[in-house]
Amino acid sequence: MIFKRKRQLSIPERIRAIMWPRSGFRRAGRYLIMRIKRMPGSPRSIAIGIASGAAVSCSPLVGLHFLLGLGIAYLLRGNMLAAAIGTAFGNPWTFPFLWAASYQVGIHLLWIEGPATLNPEKLSWSYVLNDMSAFFWPTIAGSIPLGAAVFCIVFFISRNMVAMAQARRREKRERAIARRLAADIARRDTSASV
């Protein structure tokens, strides 16, 4: 294979690479932003795609984020590739905060007292795993309005960002065409005068 590693990474090295990329988060983030700016399509469809990917990241259904993001983008006529990129909003660093917020919103929506609000000393991994439904259903319920809020915020930010980037690229292309045209005219004038 062309891009195969000479030495395979061990499992701890793979986990470290997922949690902290070798090239760093700044470079990975800049790459994603550049990829979104250069994506073909209208700013609206790209923004819908990004927002739908970011919105599904609030749900605890980790294995279904890509499918849910693509489904929402398809229903709203958004860009599918942008939806896949938008799911990067949910990552190991943001999941705890997103799920905690979804859980808090869910227990208020369902009018229940969650185990975390009753007794924080009682809250442990074994308690969570033994009584999964006490955490799962409030988190699902809370992820819907939280996801809608994330969708709106990310949509407006990304639509403006993509529209500005596309306008800049268009102006740059027009300036390059004008320079080439001026150079061709100057070359014709000098060859005609000789």
Coordinates of all heavy atoms in Angstrom, one line a residue, residues 23-65:
S23 N 0.3 16.2 14.8 CA 0.5 17.5 14.2 C -0.1 18.6 15.0 O 0.0 19.8 14.7 CB 0.0 17.5 12.7 OG -1.3 17.3 12.7
G24 N -0.9 18.2 16.0 CA -1.6 19.2 16.9 C -3.0 19.6 16.4 O -3.3 19.4 15.2
F25 N -3.7 20.1 17.3 CA -5.1 20.5 17.0 C -5.2 21.7 16.2 O -6.1 21.9 15.4 CB -5.9 20.7 18.3 CG -6.3 19.4 19.0 CD1 -5.7 19.1 20.2 CD2 -7.1 18.5 18.5 CE1 -6.0 17.9 20.9 CE2 -7.4 17.3 19.1 CZ -6.9 17.0 20.3
R26 N -4.3 22.6 16.3 CA -4.3 23.8 15.5 C -4.2 23.5 14.0 O -5.0 24.0 13.2 CB -3.2 24.8 15.9 CG -3.1 26.0 15.1 CD -2.1 27.0 15.5 NE -2.7 27.7 16.6 CZ -2.0 28.4 17.5 NH1 -0.7 28.5 17.4 NH2 -2.6 29.1 18.5
R27 N -3.3 22.6 13.7 CA -3.1 22.3 12.3 C -4.4 21.6 11.8 O -4.8 21.8 10.7 CB -1.9 21.5 12.1 CG -1.7 21.1 10.6 CD -0.3 20.5 10.4 NE -0.2 20.2 9.0 CZ 0.8 19.5 8.5 NH1 1.7 19.0 9.3 NH2 0.9 19.3 7.2
A28 N -4.9 20.6 12.6 CA -6.1 19.9 12.1 C -7.3 20.8 12.0 O -8.0 20.7 11.0 CB -6.4 18.8 13.2
G29 N -7.4 21.8 12.9 CA -8.5 22.7 12.8 C -8.4 23.6 11.6 O -9.4 23.9 10.9
R30 N -7.1 24.1 11.4 CA -6.9 25.0 10.2 C -7.2 24.2 8.9 O -7.8 24.8 8.0 CB -5.5 25.5 10.1 CG -5.3 26.6 11.1 CD -4.0 27.4 10.8 NE -2.9 26.6 10.2 CZ -1.7 26.5 10.7 NH1 -1.4 27.1 11.8 NH2 -0.8 25.8 10.0
Y31 N -6.9 22.9 8.9 CA -7.2 22.1 7.7 C -8.7 22.0 7.5 O -9.2 22.2 6.4 CB -6.6 20.7 7.8 CG -7.0 19.8 6.7 CD1 -6.5 19.9 5.4 CD2 -8.0 18.8 6.9 CE1 -6.9 19.1 4.4 CE2 -8.4 18.0 5.9 CZ -7.9 18.2 4.6 OH -8.3 17.4 3.6
L32 N -9.4 21.7 8.5 CA -10.9 21.6 8.4 C -11.5 22.9 8.0 O -12.4 22.9 7.1 CB -11.5 21.1 9.7 CG -11.3 19.7 10.1 CD1 -11.9 19.4 11.5 CD2 -11.9 18.7 9.0
I33 N -11.1 24.0 8.5 CA -11.6 25.3 8.2 C -11.3 25.6 6.7 O -12.2 26.1 5.9 CB -11.1 26.4 9.1 CG1 -11.8 26.2 10.5 CG2 -11.4 27.8 8.5 CD1 -11.2 27.1 11.5
M34 N -10.1 25.3 6.3 CA -9.7 25.6 4.9 C -10.5 24.7 3.9 O -11.0 25.1 2.9 CB -8.2 25.3 4.7 CG -7.7 25.7 3.3 SD -5.9 25.6 3.2 CE -5.5 26.9 4.3
R35 N -10.8 23.5 4.4 CA -11.5 22.5 3.5 C -13.0 23.0 3.4 O -13.6 22.9 2.3 CB -11.5 21.1 4.2 CG -12.3 20.1 3.4 CD -11.6 19.8 2.1 NE -12.4 18.9 1.3 CZ -13.0 19.2 0.2 NH1 -12.9 20.4 -0.3 NH2 -13.8 18.3 -0.4
I36 N -13.5 23.6 4.5 CA -14.9 24.1 4.4 C -14.9 25.3 3.5 O -15.9 25.5 2.8 CB -15.4 24.4 5.9 CG1 -15.6 23.1 6.6 CG2 -16.6 25.2 5.8 CD1 -15.9 23.3 8.1
K37 N -14.0 26.2 3.6 CA -14.0 27.4 2.8 C -13.9 27.2 1.3 O -14.4 27.9 0.5 CB -12.8 28.3 3.3 CG -13.0 29.0 4.6 CD -11.8 29.9 4.9 CE -11.9 30.6 6.2 NZ -10.8 31.4 6.5
R38 N -13.2 26.1 1.0 CA -13.0 25.8 -0.4 C -14.0 24.8 -1.0 O -14.0 24.4 -2.1 CB -11.6 25.2 -0.6 CG -10.5 26.2 -0.4 CD -9.2 25.5 -0.6 NE -8.1 26.5 -0.4 CZ -6.9 26.3 -0.5 NH1 -6.5 25.0 -0.7 NH2 -6.0 27.2 -0.3
M39 N -15.0 24.4 -0.2 CA -16.0 23.5 -0.6 C -16.9 24.1 -1.6 O -17.4 25.2 -1.4 CB -16.8 23.1 0.7 CG -17.6 21.9 0.5 SD -18.3 21.4 2.1 CE -16.8 20.8 3.0
P40 N -17.3 23.4 -2.7 CA -18.2 23.9 -3.6 C -19.6 23.9 -3.1 O -20.0 23.0 -2.4 CB -18.0 23.0 -4.9 CG -17.6 21.7 -4.3 CD -16.8 22.1 -3.1
G41 N -20.4 24.8 -3.5 CA -21.8 24.9 -3.1 C -22.2 26.3 -2.5 O -21.3 27.1 -2.3
S42 N -23.4 26.4 -2.3 CA -23.9 27.7 -1.7 C -23.5 27.8 -0.2 O -23.4 26.8 0.4 CB -25.4 27.9 -1.9 OG -26.1 27.0 -1.1
P43 N -23.3 29.0 0.3 CA -23.0 29.1 1.7 C -24.1 28.6 2.6 O -23.8 28.0 3.6 CB -22.9 30.6 1.9 CG -22.5 31.2 0.6 CD -23.2 30.3 -0.4
R44 N -25.3 28.6 2.1 CA -26.5 28.1 2.9 C -26.4 26.6 3.0 O -26.5 26.0 4.1 CB -27.8 28.5 2.2 CG -29.0 28.0 3.0 CD -30.3 28.4 2.2 NE -31.4 27.9 2.9 CZ -31.9 26.6 2.8 NH1 -31.3 25.8 2.0 NH2 -32.9 26.2 3.5
S45 N -26.1 25.9 1.9 CA -26.1 24.4 2.0 C -24.9 23.9 2.8 O -25.0 23.0 3.5 CB -26.1 23.8 0.6 OG -24.9 24.0 -0.1
I46 N -23.8 24.6 2.6 CA -22.6 24.2 3.4 C -22.8 24.5 4.9 O -22.5 23.6 5.7 CB -21.3 25.0 2.9 CG1 -21.0 24.6 1.5 CG2 -20.1 24.8 3.8 CD1 -20.0 25.4 0.8
A47 N -23.4 25.6 5.2 CA -23.7 25.9 6.6 C -24.7 24.9 7.2 O -24.6 24.5 8.4 CB -24.3 27.3 6.7
I48 N -25.7 24.5 6.4 CA -26.7 23.5 6.9 C -26.0 22.2 7.2 O -26.2 21.5 8.2 CB -27.8 23.3 5.9 CG1 -28.8 24.5 5.9 CG2 -28.6 22.0 6.2 CD1 -29.8 24.5 4.9
G49 N -25.1 21.8 6.3 CA -24.3 20.6 6.6 C -23.5 20.7 7.8 O -23.5 19.7 8.7
I50 N -22.7 21.7 8.0 CA -21.9 21.9 9.2 C -22.7 21.9 10.4 O -22.4 21.2 11.4 CB -21.0 23.2 9.1 CG1 -20.1 23.1 7.9 CG2 -20.3 23.4 10.4 CD1 -19.4 24.4 7.6
A51 N -23.8 22.6 10.4 CA -24.7 22.8 11.6 C -25.3 21.5 11.9 O -25.5 21.1 13.1 CB -25.7 23.9 11.3
S52 N -25.7 20.7 10.9 CA -26.4 19.4 11.2 C -25.4 18.4 11.9 O -25.7 17.7 12.8 CB -27.0 18.8 10.0 OG -26.1 18.5 9.0
G53 N -24.1 18.4 11.4 CA -23.1 17.6 12.0 C -22.8 18.0 13.4 O -22.6 17.2 14.3
A54 N -22.7 19.3 13.7 CA -22.5 19.8 15.0 C -23.6 19.5 15.9 O -23.5 19.2 17.1 CB -22.2 21.3 15.0
A55 N -24.9 19.6 15.4 CA -26.0 19.4 16.3 C -26.2 18.0 16.8 O -26.5 17.8 17.9 CB -27.3 19.8 15.5
V56 N -25.9 17.0 15.9 CA -26.0 15.6 16.4 C -24.9 15.2 17.3 O -25.0 14.2 18.0 CB -26.0 14.6 15.2 CG1 -27.2 14.9 14.3 CG2 -24.7 14.7 14.4
S57 N -23.8 16.1 17.4 CA -22.8 15.8 18.4 C -23.2 15.9 19.8 O -22.6 15.4 20.8 CB -21.6 16.7 18.2 OG -21.0 16.4 16.9
C58 N -24.4 16.5 20.1 CA -24.9 16.7 21.4 C -25.6 15.4 21.9 O -25.8 15.3 23.1 CB -25.9 17.8 21.4 SG -25.2 19.4 21.0
S59 N -25.9 14.5 21.0 CA -26.6 13.3 21.4 C -25.6 12.2 21.9 O -24.4 12.2 21.5 CB -27.4 12.7 20.2 OG -26.5 12.1 19.3
P60 N -26.0 11.3 22.8 CA -25.1 10.3 23.3 C -25.0 9.1 22.4 O -24.3 8.2 22.7 CB -25.8 9.9 24.6 CG -27.2 10.1 24.4 CD -27.3 11.3 23.5
L61 N -25.5 9.2 21.2 CA -25.5 8.1 20.2 C -24.2 8.2 19.4 O -24.3 8.5 18.2 CB -26.7 8.1 19.3 CG -28.1 8.1 20.1 CD1 -29.2 8.3 19.1 CD2 -28.3 6.8 20.8
V62 N -23.1 7.9 20.0 CA -21.8 8.2 19.4 C -21.6 7.4 18.0 O -21.1 8.0 17.1 CB -20.6 7.8 20.3 CG1 -19.3 8.0 19.7 CG2 -20.7 8.6 21.6
G63 N -22.0 6.2 18.0 CA -21.8 5.5 16.7 C -22.7 5.9 15.6 O -22.4 5.5 14.4
L64 N -23.7 6.7 15.8 CA -24.6 7.1 14.8 C -24.5 8.6 14.4 O -25.3 9.1 13.6 CB -26.1 6.9 15.3 CG -26.4 5.4 15.6 CD1 -27.8 5.3 16.2 CD2 -26.3 4.6 14.4
H65 N -23.5 9.3 14.9 CA -23.3 10.7 14.6 C -23.2 11.0 13.1 O -23.9 11.9 12.6 CB -22.2 11.3 15.3 CG -22.4 11.6 16.8 ND1 -21.5 12.0 17.6 CD2 -23.5 11.4 17.5 CE1 -22.0 12.2 18.8 NE2 -23.3 11.8 18.8

